[in-house]
Amino acid sequence: MLLADVLAASTAVTATRSRTAKAAAIATLLRAADPEEVVPVTGWLAGEPRQGRLGVGWRTLSRLGGGAADAPTLTVPEVDAALTELAGTTGAGSAARRDAVLGGLLAAATPEEHHFLVRLLTGELRQGALEGVVLDAVAAAADVPAAVVRRAFMLSGRLPETAALALTGGVAALAAVRLEVGRPVRPMLASPGSSLDAALADLGAEVTVEFKLDGARIQVHRDGDVVRVWTRSLREVTDGVPELVERIRALPCETAVLDGETLALDDDGRPRAFQDTMSRFGSDSADAGVLLSPFLFDVLHLDGRDLLDEPLAVRLDALAGLLADDAHAALRMPGMRRPTPEQAAGVLDDALTAGHEGVVVKALDAPYAAGRRGKAWQKVKPVHTLDLVVLGAEWGYGRRAGSLSNIHLGARDPDGGQPVMVGKTFKGMTDELLAWQTRTFPGHAAEQPDWGVRLRPELVVEIAVDGAQRSTRYPGGVALRFARVLRYRPDKSPAEADTIDAVRALLADGPTAD
């Protein structure tokens, strides 16, 4: 298969807003791929090489040039082999060798292929929002039920390998995928709830109401004395969080897969700033002065028993038994099962009083639906917040002259298109944040016009809003009301940003914004 065939399918996907049409274009390509081509092709269509991050920047690509071939000749195996060689080239003299590999690849590309490769290598092609479409396409191409594909993906966490299983082994190969201690599972996610009363009315009396912390999601696996920790994006951080490893190793079990959150607390037991928690997950060395505390709220496997398909009530019983000893009770996420409306309101008040974000209301009869943001878990916060993609920033004026200030905000297109702009804001920015934006944004710039920068869709920011209103100004037909910056979210990718549908759900009756 030629790279040009992949490019044609990618172009077709980008050109339509129809989820069905996107899936059909991808399915057609996957059917035509040879077995050894399925893994790289699926990864590219989802926007990420199977080799992961390759450490190639815009400056290097601009210096090397390329894209002058008259006709397409590059094949999928050739490109994949070059990327594998690029990923494995390290040590003395590696910069020159990497330039040679990359330069040779780009020189053999047509202008269109060159543009595709540049976006793939720099992460600009990454469209995690397309993930669901690719899964539908895999199911169609392999003629297997979509639910079977999704479950195998949930348990393996690897989309390209799931596609290869489906296309080479069908239902039997997909059904053989099991939860493995030591291999992270995609986390179950909560949908935004409009209010506590609404969430309780939606889910009924058979619920648990738990604190919603302002921390980082963690998944912890234990196999004997071996403990490993992953973030919500399935990035392993075990070596950087020894205090979490020690706490889990002390639990009375041999094997376990645990879900929870972690955050830094001050001497009074109140949460420290979110940035303090995230300082332990950055690329720099861990901040020895910031200790993390784990709070567990689910168990997916315990001592040889898989619990994924069990109702939450059963999983909570297993977790309660594991943490029954007084020495481990503090690891349990605070909350209450089957509360009355008054008691649920009390849990929310307690969470807010303790400095946390709010609560999560969970249906006790729900299995663990990894990777899906369904209605079985609903997070309730007193202030509406959205995780949005930063699309650009304008130079400030007055006391903000010389700083990149007013940021352009985009919501995720659930069908895999480019983020949809929903507003701008310069509110809530400290001097330190302005300085950080001005220093950081040029490194993510796709274009630098006179008014500021247009950014590649790579940065996620958490925004507080008072709601939304209908608008003819923005392509999504909706605009944010009184948006202000809370913080940037280095723990989230654009694939995890809130969708345009989530913004529209905040629409209130009222005048249309021009």
Side-chain angles (χ1 to χ4, degrees):
M1 176 176 284
L2 291 174
L3 174 63
D5 297 324
V6 183
L7 174 56
S10 178
T11 301
V13 167
T14 304
T16 179
R17 293 186 62 82
S18 167
R19 183 185 182 97
T20 301
K22 290 175 186 287
I26 296 171
T28 299
L29 183 74
L30 291 177
R31 290 191 194 100
D34 290 338
E36 68 274 11
E37 296 171 337
V38 170
V39 168
V41 166
T42 306
W44 299 347
L45 290 171
E48 184 175 7
R50 68 180 181 88
Q51 294 84 358
R53 291 183 178 273
L54 296 170
V56 178
W58 283 90
R59 184 174 300 175
T60 297
L61 292 166
S62 299
R63 173 171 52 80
L64 291 174
D70 295 328
T73 60
L74 283 172
T75 66
V76 167
E78 286 173 339
V79 175
D80 186 52
L83 299 186
T84 298
E85 185 176 357
L86 195 65
T89 302
T90 59
S94 61
R97 295 197 303 273
R98 284 168 61 87
D99 279 358
V101 172
L102 190 55
L105 177 64
L106 297 176
T110 65
E112 295 79 14
E113 291 170 338
H114 180 272
H115 182 57
F116 178 86
L117 289 170
V118 166
R119 289 185 294 144
L120 178 66
L121 293 168
T122 57
E124 189 177 344
L125 192 66
R126 185 182 178 93
Q127 299 180 76
L130 192 58
E131 200 170 77
V133 179
V134 175
L135 288 170
D136 290 343
V138 169
D143 194 21
V144 297
V148 179
V149 176
R150 291 181 183 278
R151 180 175 176 79
F153 176 44
M154 168 187 83
L155 293 173
S156 72
R158 296 188 288 266
L159 181 55
E161 286 77 4
T162 301
L165 282 176
L167 288 159
T168 58
V171 171
L174 294 168
V177 180
R178 294 284 187 268
L179 185 151
E180 293 181 11
V181 178
R183 184 177 67 187
V185 173
R186 289 166 52 76
M188 185 170 179
L189 305 174
S191 295
S194 58
S195 69
L196 180 59
D197 289 342
L200 293 173
D202 189 17
L203 297 178
E206 288 294 305
V207 297
T208 182
V209 179
E210 300 173 344
F211 281 22
K212 172 69 179 74
L213 306 186
D214 189 17
R217 186 76 172 266
I218 54 169
Q219 186 178 132
V220 188
H221 290 228
R222 177 178 173 183
D223 187 358
D225 287 335
V226 177
V227 176
R228 301 174 68 184
V229 185
W230 285 269
T231 66
R232 61 178 290 147
S233 62
L234 306 189
R235 179 171 64 92
E236 186 168 2
V237 293
T238 304
D239 291 343
V241 290
E243 69 271 41
L244 301 185
V245 171
E246 182 180 356
R247 298 289 293 275
I248 300 303
R249 190 178 285 142
L251 294 176
C253 63
E254 280 298 314
T255 61
V257 177
L258 301 158
D259 196 0
E261 281 196 87
T262 187
L263 77 170
L265 301 173
D266 63 20
D267 292 340
D268 296 323
R270 295 181 63 81
R272 293 177 57 164
F274 178 77
Q275 290 79 1
D276 291 342
T277 294
M278 293 313 300
S279 70
R280 294 294 305 278
F281 297 95
S283 57
D284 297 333
S285 58
D287 184 346
V290 177
L291 292 178
L292 298 177
S293 298
F295 292 87
L296 305 174
F297 53 68
D298 217 329
V299 55
L300 313 185
H301 172 95
L302 186 61
D303 284 336
R305 181 188 178 194
D306 289 346
L307 298 166
L308 273 169
D309 296 323
E310 296 287 352
L312 176 59
V314 173
R315 304 199 307 271
L316 290 180
D317 286 343
L319 184 62
L322 179 65
L323 305 180
D325 190 285
D326 289 345
H328 308 304
L331 275 64
R332 177 74 173 91
M333 183 71 76
M336 180 180 293
R337 282 202 237 183
R338 302 180 181 88
T340 65
E342 293 77 15
Q343 289 172 326
V347 175
L348 176 58
D349 287 343
D350 289 345
L352 297 176
T353 299
H356 301 300
E357 289 188 318
V359 294
V360 182
V361 184
K362 301 178 180 179
L364 288 171
D365 62 352
Y368 195 88
R372 309 273 323 248
R373 198 183 290 274
K375 292 293 186 181
W377 290 11
Q378 298 186 31
K379 54 187 177 184
V380 178
K381 304 178 186 180
V383 175
H384 293 301
T385 63
L386 294 166
D387 294 321
L388 300 174
V389 181
V390 185
L391 304 178
E394 300 171 12
W395 291 111
Y397 54 88
R399 67 177 297 270
R400 293 192 176 190
S403 296
L404 287 169
S405 174
N406 200 21
I407 58 174
H408 300 187
L409 303 167
R412 177 166 59 87
D413 180 351
D415 292 328
Q418 292 299 309
V420 182
M421 190 168 177
V422 291
K424 305 177 183 181
T425 189
F426 55 82
K427 297 179 180 177
M429 297 179 184
T430 63
D431 290 343
E432 291 78 12
L433 185 59
L434 286 168
W436 179 85
Q437 290 183 169
T438 305
R439 184 174 64 251
T440 302
F441 282 2
H444 297 271
E447 186 181 355
Q448 294 185 271
D450 292 341
W451 54 261
V453 294
R454 285 194 179 94
L455 300 178
R456 302 190 298 275
E458 297 171 344
L459 300 174
V460 176
V461 65
E462 185 176 0
I463 300 293
V465 297
D466 288 359
Q469 58 191 3
R470 302 187 189 282
S471 173
T472 58
R473 178 180 301 174
Y474 299 117
V478 63
L480 304 175
R481 296 179 64 245
F482 304 108
R484 57 257 187 215
V485 173
L486 294 180
R487 58 187 174 172
Y488 279 81
R489 295 300 303 257
D491 59 322
K492 289 192 175 184
S493 72
E496 299 172 290
D498 284 303
T499 66
I500 185 65
D501 294 334
V503 179
R504 289 171 180 152
L506 299 177
L507 280 172
D509 294 333
T512 298
D514 295 326

